[in-house]
């Protein structure tokens, strides 16, 4: 029935059969750190060149780059909020199904299959 669990010092859980798994624990600081790390890690080497080339000004390009990062972080935090609120698997489809209904969810799914993928 219920296996006894013992906790080691580094936050992972051990069951009676010796299997080790991590606890689901994301705090606000960890979520923000993950989001910022992903944004900086994926875009810092590619995007500034194009932004600087098209803006023509270092200050303006920095302002555009920072505001885009803040906008991306807001989107990522919104998805994190949705993922913690709606505990079903399915991603975009489930989020649209739960919030807007079956027709927009179906149309988004159809558009992804036909046009995007």
């Amino acid at each position: 029935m219920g296996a006894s669990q013992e906790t080691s010092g580094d936050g992972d859980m051990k069951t009676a059969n010796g299997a080790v798994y991590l606890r689901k624990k994301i705090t606000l600081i960890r979520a923000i750190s993950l989001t910022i790390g992903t944004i900086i890690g994926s875009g810092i080497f590619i995007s500034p060149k194009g932004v600087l080339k098209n803006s023509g000004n270092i200050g303006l390009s920095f302002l555009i780059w920072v505001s885009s990062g803040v906008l991306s972080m807001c989107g990522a935090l919104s998805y994190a909020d949705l993922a913690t609120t709606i505990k079903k698997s399915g991603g975009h489809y489930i989020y649209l199904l739960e919030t807007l209904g079956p027709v927009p969810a179906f149309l988004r799914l159809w558009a992804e299959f036909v046009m995007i993928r």
Side-chain angles (χ1 to χ4, degrees):
M1 300 299 253
S4 65
Q5 299 176 348
E6 59 183 70
T7 306
S8 65
D10 56 355
D12 58 352
M13 298 291 289
K14 293 183 181 180
T15 59
N17 62 358
V20 177
Y21 63 95
L22 296 175
R23 281 191 257 169
K24 294 179 183 177
K25 184 178 179 185
I26 288 188
T27 61
L28 178 64
I29 299 298
R30 289 182 183 180
I32 291 173
S33 299
L34 181 65
T35 304
I36 289 173
T38 303
I39 291 170
I40 291 174
S42 65
I44 195 167
F45 299 112
I46 298 170
S47 61
K49 179 182 176 184
V51 173
L52 182 59
K53 181 179 175 183
N54 290 320
S55 67
N57 186 352
I58 293 175
L60 182 60
S61 68
F62 182 71
L63 181 67
I64 291 170
W65 189 74
V66 168
S67 61
S68 299
V70 169
L71 185 65
S72 296
M73 187 175 71
C74 290
L77 289 174
S78 297
Y79 266 91
D81 184 39
L82 281 171
T84 56
T85 304
I86 301 172
K87 298 192 183 317
K88 295 180 182 177
S89 61
H92 304 298
Y93 175 75
I94 292 297
Y95 300 154
L96 288 174
L97 182 66
E98 292 288 323
T99 57
L100 299 176
V103 174
F106 171 76
L107 291 175
R108 199 270 182 212
L109 188 65
W110 179 82
E112 181 174 354
F113 283 141
V114 172
M115 298 178 193
I116 297 171
R117 298 189 188 222

